[in-house]
Amino acid sequence: MKGPYERLVRPLLFSLNAETAHRFTIALLRQASQFDLALRTLRVFQPPAKPKVLFGLNFPNPIGLAAGLDKNAVAIPAWAALGFGFIEIGTVTAKAQPGNPKPRIFRLPEQQALINRLGFNNDGADAIAERLGRLRGSGRWPPVPVGINIGKSRVTPLEQATDDYLYSFRLLRDFADYVTLNVSSPNTPGLRELQQPQRLSQLLKAIGSEPGAATKPILVKISPDLSPIELEAILAACEKNAVAGIIATNTTLDHSSIPPALDKEGGLSGVPLWGKSTALLREIVGRSAIPVVASGGIFDAESAHEKFQGGAQLIQLYTGFVYRGPRLLREIMEAEK
């Protein structure tokens, strides 16, 4: 049975261009984040608590907001009020950038999917650090862990990627409960090359050498399109450099499930990604003791339960939240009691 969001709100949002709907939603949540009454109203959606400790952090429940929905960290209090057990903002790059040309988000309702080629559009590390500083001073910093997802600026050559990540890390680490290194988006040219063991090890070693980095959990977000050999090398690099966790997975370039007439260039998320991302989750859990945060195709309690059964310690929502709304969190947690 559909809830109010699916019956009333989603049809209105889906009548708009996908990116326009996204901007409108973020604008509303940004406004709500500034008013205590609005935040109290949003709390009616909160799911039952199911506390979990991971990375030395206390999560009120294991459902997080995936990076990409709030790239510029403008609505953090609202996400917490809605009941997310943790919030990951970004992807943030060292330099502000507009992203790829529009249109760049496409809905596929029959497939319950999205294709995006946004390209890390964000305000840049300096502006976001300033915004987070204001939020901390406002007294509305959320009582849940906040992760910050950082990536490479498009204009930065691959050879200078480490310095680019370090710039963002130094500005943002004090605001983050954990930091995610995004080396797997398909929408920034060359970015996935940073998953190569030598480049990944170089990046992880540099981050790990920063003052205070030993106390900051570092996660790595990986692609669902890795071969078993590539995955094995990535896990070895992560284990060698004491990575706290792996986020499995980013969007996929495998569009074989999408009818050619509907297909667009970009990363595919939603239900078509579920099988591939879940298989990779199980492969990681079978090969490594590194905790896994599962993302990809979670649309209901059953698909979330399969992620937990596959070994995920935490899960993240993006496309499922776009299609199902805040009721999805309660549905998942009530089934996991």
Side-chain angles (χ1 to χ4, degrees):
M1 183 177 176
K2 291 182 178 180
Y5 173 86
E6 291 171 271
R7 287 186 287 106
L8 303 173
V9 179
R10 190 177 75 187
L12 291 173
L13 291 175
F14 277 33
S15 71
L16 302 172
N17 166 278
E19 190 161 356
T20 300
H22 181 260
R23 287 200 309 269
F24 176 72
T25 303
I26 293 296
L28 288 178
L29 293 174
R30 182 177 194 166
Q31 287 298 312
S33 293
Q34 300 174 33
F35 298 99
D36 291 338
L37 178 60
L39 293 173
R40 285 197 295 271
T41 301
L42 291 178
R43 290 189 186 110
V44 303
F45 295 106
Q46 289 198 353
K50 189 175 183 180
K52 186 174 186 67
V53 178
L54 191 67
F55 318 133
L57 303 173
N58 296 311
F59 298 83
N61 69 63
I63 307 174
L65 181 79
L69 268 168
D70 193 353
K71 291 175 179 289
N72 291 312
V74 299
I76 292 176
W79 298 119
L82 283 167
F84 283 98
F86 62 108
I87 300 153
E88 188 166 318
I89 63 99
T91 295
V92 182
T93 54
K95 299 176 176 68
Q97 54 188 39
N100 293 321
K102 300 176 184 179
R104 52 193 183 177
I105 309 177
F106 308 92
R107 303 187 192 97
L108 294 83
E110 288 190 14
Q111 288 74 28
Q112 298 185 88
L114 296 174
I115 295 174
N116 95 79
R117 50 173 183 254
L118 287 161
F120 290 169
N121 54 310
N122 74 105
D123 293 340
D126 291 271
I128 291 171
E130 184 178 337
R131 183 172 296 130
L132 291 171
R134 290 197 302 270
L135 176 61
R136 182 164 281 173
S138 74
R140 291 196 172 90
W141 192 268
V144 303
V146 174
I148 301 182
N149 183 304
I150 59 176
K152 185 185 79 68
S153 305
R154 187 184 185 97
V155 297
T156 300
L158 204 58
E159 295 71 26
Q160 298 171 23
T162 294
D163 290 338
D164 196 79
Y165 279 86
L166 282 172
Y167 184 87
S168 299
F169 181 76
R170 289 164 181 161
L171 276 174
L172 298 167
R173 62 185 167 193
D174 291 341
F175 299 107
D177 291 299
Y178 70 87
V179 174
T180 297
L181 306 180
N182 188 344
V183 293
S184 54
S185 170
N187 300 315
T188 295
L191 185 78
R192 286 187 168 189
E193 292 183 38
L194 293 173
Q195 294 179 121
Q196 295 174 0
Q198 186 175 354
R199 292 186 187 276
L200 182 59
S201 291
Q202 178 187 354
L203 175 58
L204 290 171
K205 186 176 180 180
I207 294 287
S209 298
E210 285 291 293
T215 62
K216 191 70 61 178
I218 303 298
L219 281 64
V220 175
K221 188 167 187 175
I222 64 171
S223 163
D225 302 324
L226 298 167
S227 70
I229 293 173
E230 289 170 328
L231 178 62
E232 186 174 359
I234 287 171
L235 291 176
C238 288
E239 289 169 350
K240 183 178 180 180
N241 290 280
V243 164
I246 292 173
I247 300 182
T249 63
N250 215 313
T251 57
T252 181
L253 287 175
D254 178 2
H255 293 198
S256 57
S257 61
I258 304 303
L262 300 176
D263 202 9
K264 303 286 185 180
E265 181 183 351
L268 174 67
S269 62
V271 169
L273 175 60
W274 186 87
K276 194 167 197 175
S277 64
T278 305
L280 195 72
L281 158 69
R282 292 180 177 133
E283 201 169 344
I284 296 167
V285 171
R287 293 185 180 197
S288 174
I290 299 175
V292 183
V293 180
S295 181
I298 301 168
F299 263 67
D300 53 25
E302 183 179 356
S303 55
H305 183 70
E306 289 294 322
K307 297 285 191 185
F308 290 125
Q309 287 290 99
Q313 300 295 314
L314 304 169
I315 62 173
Q316 290 182 323
L317 306 179
Y318 185 132
T319 306
F321 186 78
V322 170
Y323 277 87
R324 299 288 317 283
R327 179 170 175 254
L328 177 58
L329 282 75
R330 180 174 292 275
E331 180 181 317
I332 292 170
M333 290 316 307
E334 288 179 346
E336 290 296 319
K337 278 184 177 180

